[in-house]
């Protein structure tokens, strides 16, 4: 017999927790830099389309599976498919993806912690733009400092996961998420009044269709899965804590649209700065650390604003990191019967160790020739591997499972319980069965070099 599962105490509580885990460095750090690298407007459009057409339906799908099976990712696939090894391994692939993300997520979170200290010590005051931008390169190429912060951030995450006090943090999440929202709105408004704002807005919003590439669309899809925390069974686990009368489709729509909204705000905050100060939009993974401090150095009261911003940055990173580690930990506890303490310590240490080459990827004492061999740093190799391949492939298989292998009646019952959006079941199923798998498949095919356009002629 399974133990009765704990359930969320209120629906709003659940939305906040799911949003807290989803909203993180995906929107604050990854979205602007990937958009910058992919030329702006068209990529943003592709990202929004992927989120609406594929992300949100798959998000709803994961919640439905989890609530029906009442288990974590691997357990749910195992239970529903009657222990089929293939589907079980889809669950494990998701767990592996979470682990890989956490390994470099903590490097970023650690840099954020370092930026809190730099803000507190008035670092930006009176510095020129090149000096501010160089500061990030100095940090990233200081292996020892980055390693120290990588350790600090991982340890902090494990400290929360270890005693299982994740729920205590929900309380803080409410303040912090609202705080983040307020500071983003304020910074966005300020950015929009900068002299070069119009050019930034044009770059960010104007879709130039001549730039359409399969690899850009695959990246948009991967990014959409990354920001919604999909393709790792996280939402399956969360769904298992939902109550029978909670409205899953509505939750999916609310969270999906909030992510789009916040992404747009972050873009409208970042690109005007870039164009006003003549910075390159292709700033790579350091973009957020190189652009915002430039703005902070110009603002009155910069100490307060920049410290607050980076505290919120670290906090949102932390709420996501907790969820990332928790997914892995929960599966080990469920399936191997480990104690929480053992699981958290082992997973935390493994994340730290596997993250070491990411932390040292720019300073270079480890895997010094990596970039020459793979064309990008270790950090970016893992990030791209997970975002462009693991998540879309896992999402594809999840959609495939729901659309083709799961009993329709079961899916309907679970989907429709507690919602007034039952009439959307048919279109949703259609998306799961046809649109999501076909789209993901085509994107992956064309990314692998197959000329997909020719198939339609
Ligand atoms: N969505 C998170 C973010 O935007 C990152 C993330 C990806 C995540 N997968 C996850 C968070 C799984 C928690 C659990 O930063």
């Amino acid at each position: 017999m399974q133990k009765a599962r704990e359930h969320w105490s209120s629906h709003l509580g659940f939305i906040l927790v799911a949003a807290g885990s989803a909203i993180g460095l995906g929107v604050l750090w990854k979205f602007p830099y990937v958009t910058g690298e992919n030329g702006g407007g068209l990529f943003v459009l592709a990202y929004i389309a992927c989120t609406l057409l594929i992300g949100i339906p798959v998000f709803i799908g994961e919640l439905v599976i989890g609530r029906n099976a009442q288990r974590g990712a691997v357990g749910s696939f195992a239970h529903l498919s009657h222990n089929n090894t293939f589907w079980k391994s889809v669950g494990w692939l998701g767990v592996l993806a979470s682990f890989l993300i956490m390994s470099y997520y903590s490097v970023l979170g650690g840099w954020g912690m370092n930026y809190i200290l730099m803000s507190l010590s008035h670092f930006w005051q009176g510095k020129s733009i090149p000096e501010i931008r160089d500061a990030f390169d100095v940090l990233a190429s200081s292996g020892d400092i980055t390693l120290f912060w990588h350790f600090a951030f991982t340890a902090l995450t494990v400290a929360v996961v270890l005693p299982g006090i994740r729920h205590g943090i929900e309380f803080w999440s409410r303040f912090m998420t609202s705080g983040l929202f307020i500071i983003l709105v304020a910074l966005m408004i300020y950015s929009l009044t900068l002299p070069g704002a119009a050019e930034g807005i044009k770059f960010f919003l104007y879709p130039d269709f001549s730039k359409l590439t399969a690899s850009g669309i695959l990246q948009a899809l991967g990014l959409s899965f990354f920001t919604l925390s999909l393709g790792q069974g996280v939402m399956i686990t969360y769904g298992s804590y939902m109550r029978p009368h909670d409205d899953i489709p509505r939750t999916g729509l609310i969270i999906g649209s909030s992510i789009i909204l916040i992404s747009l705000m972050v873009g409208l905050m970042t690109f005007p700065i870039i164009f006003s100060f003549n910075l390159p939009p292709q700033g790579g993974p350091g973009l957020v650390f190189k652009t915002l401090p430039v703005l902070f150095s110009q603002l009155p009261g910069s100490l307060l604003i920049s410290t607050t911003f980076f505290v919120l940055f670290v906090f949102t990173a932390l709420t996501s990191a907790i969820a990332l580690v928790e997914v892995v930990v929960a599966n080990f506890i469920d399936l191997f019967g480990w104690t929480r303490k053992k699981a958290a310590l082992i997973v935390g240490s493994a994340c730290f160790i596997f993250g070491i080459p990411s932390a040292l990827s720019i300073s270079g004492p480890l895997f010094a020739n990596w970039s020459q061999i793979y064309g990008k740093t270790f950090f970016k190799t893992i990030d791209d591997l997970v975002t462009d391949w693991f998540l879309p492939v896992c999402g594809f298989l999840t959609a495939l499972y729901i659309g083709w292998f799961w009993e329709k009646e079961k899916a309907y019952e679970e989907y429709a319980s507690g919602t007034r959006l039952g009439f959307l079941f048919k279109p949703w199923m259609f998306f799961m069965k046809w649109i999501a798998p076909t789209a993901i498949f085509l994107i992956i095919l064309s990314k692998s070099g197959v000329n997909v356009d020719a198939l339609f002629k």
Side-chain angles (χ1 to χ4, degrees):
M1 266 285 289
Q2 266 227 318
K3 267 193 301 185
R5 272 183 110 74
E6 245 187 278
H7 289 102
W8 307 109
S9 50
S10 74
H11 188 57
L12 181 66
F14 167 72
I15 292 195
L16 287 172
V17 173
S21 92
I23 298 171
L25 302 184
V27 284
L28 285 178
W29 156 80
K30 199 170 173 62
F31 173 73
Y33 107 75
V34 182
T35 301
E37 283 186 342
N38 280 284
L42 186 70
F43 180 81
V44 177
L45 196 67
Y47 167 72
I48 295 178
C50 287
T51 305
L52 291 176
L53 300 178
I54 306 177
I56 296 178
V58 173
F59 188 94
I60 295 174
E62 287 201 9
L63 290 180
V64 169
I65 289 189
R67 186 168 68 183
N68 190 269
Q70 289 290 301
R71 286 167 172 81
V74 181
S76 285
F77 272 116
H79 177 68
L80 296 180
S81 69
H82 306 292
N83 239 346
N84 178 301
T85 319
F86 176 77
W87 292 113
K88 241 167 61 182
S89 43
V90 175
W92 279 116
L93 198 63
V95 174
L96 178 63
S98 297
F99 170 78
L100 292 176
I101 294 181
M102 181 56 196
S103 75
Y104 65 86
Y105 209 83
S106 50
V107 175
L108 288 159
W111 281 337
M113 289 164 98
N114 170 83
Y115 267 64
I116 299 180
L117 263 191
M118 282 168 82
S119 304
L120 280 174
S121 55
H122 265 300
F123 185 84
W124 332 119
Q125 218 73 54
K127 293 268 192 317
S128 68
I129 295 177
E131 280 173 320
I132 292 176
R133 295 170 57 74
D134 281 351
F136 175 75
D137 296 328
V138 172
L139 169 66
S141 50
S142 307
D144 44 359
I145 304 183
T146 301
L147 207 56
F148 167 74
W149 288 114
H150 164 56
F151 177 79
F153 188 87
T154 313
L156 190 61
T157 310
V158 172
V160 178
V161 172
L162 193 77
I165 52 167
R166 205 166 49 84
H167 290 287
I169 235 170
E170 278 165 32
F171 170 78
W172 290 99
S173 285
R174 294 183 189 213
F175 287 108
M176 295 287 187
T177 312
S178 343
L180 183 73
F181 195 77
I182 294 168
I183 200 163
L184 282 181
V185 171
L187 289 175
M188 176 184 78
I189 293 176
Y190 185 83
S191 281
L192 290 173
T193 60
L194 289 170
E199 221 185 314
I201 298 171
K202 180 163 175 243
F203 176 86
F204 181 61
L205 293 180
Y206 177 74
D208 176 356
F209 282 92
S210 61
K211 289 188 184 151
L212 196 69
T213 62
S215 116
I217 298 183
L218 181 61
Q219 272 184 290
L221 179 70
L223 178 65
S224 158
F225 278 19
F226 187 96
T227 54
L228 284 169
S229 311
L230 295 181
Q232 301 147 74
V234 178
M235 292 304 151
I236 296 185
T237 312
Y238 279 8
S240 71
Y241 302 130
M242 286 183 90
R243 296 165 304 177
H245 52 274
D246 283 336
D247 189 338
I248 291 185
R250 198 165 142 255
T251 308
L253 289 170
I254 294 179
I255 295 189
S257 32
S258 345
I259 296 270
I260 294 181
L261 179 75
I262 298 191
S263 306
L264 290 176
M265 283 169 41
V266 171
L268 289 174
M269 167 181 86
T270 313
F271 290 98
I273 308 179
I274 293 181
F275 283 84
S276 293
F277 296 101
N278 278 324
L279 313 172
Q282 306 83 350
L287 192 76
V288 63
F289 300 106
K290 288 181 168 182
T291 44
L292 282 173
V294 171
L295 183 70
F296 295 148
S297 71
Q298 316 271 322
L299 286 175
S302 66
L303 182 130
L304 196 65
I305 300 173
S306 102
T307 309
T308 313
F309 177 83
F310 283 110
V311 166
L312 294 170
F313 180 97
V314 170
F315 194 85
T316 43
L318 188 65
T319 50
S320 300
I322 293 166
L324 280 164
V325 172
E326 182 76 33
V327 186
V328 188
V329 165
N331 276 295
F332 281 116
I333 296 178
D334 268 7
L335 299 166
F336 300 143
W338 289 2
T339 59
R340 168 167 282 275
K341 190 169 164 203
K342 177 173 168 193
L345 285 175
I346 292 183
V347 171
S349 315
C351 286
F352 173 72
I353 294 171
F354 194 77
I356 293 176
S358 288
L360 301 182
S361 66
I362 299 175
S363 54
L366 203 60
F367 301 162
N369 297 328
W370 188 278
S371 299
Q372 278 166 351
I373 299 174
Y374 298 98
K376 43 187 150 185
T377 59
F378 183 84
F379 178 108
K380 200 151 187 321
T381 310
I382 300 292
D383 183 19
D384 288 351
L385 182 73
V386 178
T387 315
D388 298 348
W389 294 105
F390 275 50
L391 305 187
V393 169
C394 277
F396 167 76
L397 293 169
T398 308
L400 214 61
Y401 183 78
I402 296 177
W404 294 91
F405 296 92
W406 205 18
E407 295 93 329
K408 285 280 143 337
E409 308 73 51
K410 258 197 186 172
Y412 178 72
E413 247 173 59
E414 204 56 67
Y415 172 97
S417 158
T419 186
R420 278 198 237 125
L421 301 175
F423 66 96
L424 287 178
F425 178 75
K426 279 225 164 94
W428 174 70
M429 221 6 147
F430 182 75
F431 271 87
M432 286 286 114
K433 203 166 172 146
W434 298 106
I435 309 284
T438 320
I440 301 175
F441 187 64
L442 286 181
I443 297 171
I444 292 178
L445 260 193
S446 56
K447 166 100 178 175
S448 341
V450 177
N451 184 355
V452 174
D453 293 341
L455 300 176
F456 292 99
K457 292 215 170 103

